[in-house]
Amino acid sequence: MSESQLVSVTESAARRIAALIKDDGGDTALRVAVNGGGCSGFRYDFTFDDARQDDDLIIEKDGAVVLIDAMSQLYLAGAAIDFVEDVIGSSFQIVNPNATSSCGCGSSFSI
């Protein structure tokens, strides 16, 4: 994957991920994956994982570690992982230039 296709992590997301990793003992990473399903065809999954795979894209920023498997990298090329806090709650959000539409909650998308 070329440099221009890499997934980025915002400062807000990096701070939140680093805090969650620290709370979890410091030996995990946030795994971001794209799976089939959701109301728009694909869905974003966020889990904590302590196992890195050989084909993972590893993003490290300000104490945050994000893992993305090879298949998900294809769907997330050029995307940004953000953490948003507002009146109705807080969540990780993906700003994905590859998505042609998404559901209202932002957790699923189509290409």
Side-chain angles (χ1 to χ4, degrees):
M1 188 173 277
S2 74
E3 189 69 29
S4 64
Q5 294 178 317
L6 292 178
V7 177
S8 63
V9 177
T10 66
E11 289 183 24
S12 176
R15 279 192 304 273
R16 184 66 177 148
I17 294 165
L20 291 169
I21 289 172
K22 183 179 177 186
D23 290 347
D24 198 43
D27 293 330
T28 60
L30 179 68
R31 180 170 291 283
V32 179
V34 173
N35 293 306
C39 54
S40 295
F42 295 98
R43 73 175 189 278
Y44 301 113
D45 286 329
F46 301 92
T47 58
F48 283 97
D49 197 343
D50 58 0
R52 296 179 184 193
Q53 304 303 317
D54 291 338
D55 62 352
D56 280 344
L57 171 64
I58 301 169
I59 304 167
E60 296 179 318
K61 180 176 182 175
D62 301 330
V65 180
V66 177
L67 306 174
I68 302 173
D69 65 88
M71 185 60 72
S72 297
Q73 291 173 42
L74 299 173
Y75 297 102
L76 293 171
I81 300 168
D82 196 10
F83 184 75
V84 177
E85 296 181 89
D86 56 29
V87 178
I88 59 171
S90 58
S91 64
F92 286 104
Q93 296 181 0
I94 307 263
V95 179
N96 189 343
N98 305 302
T100 57
S101 66
S102 64
C103 67
C105 67
S107 63
S108 69
F109 67 101
S110 62
I111 295 182

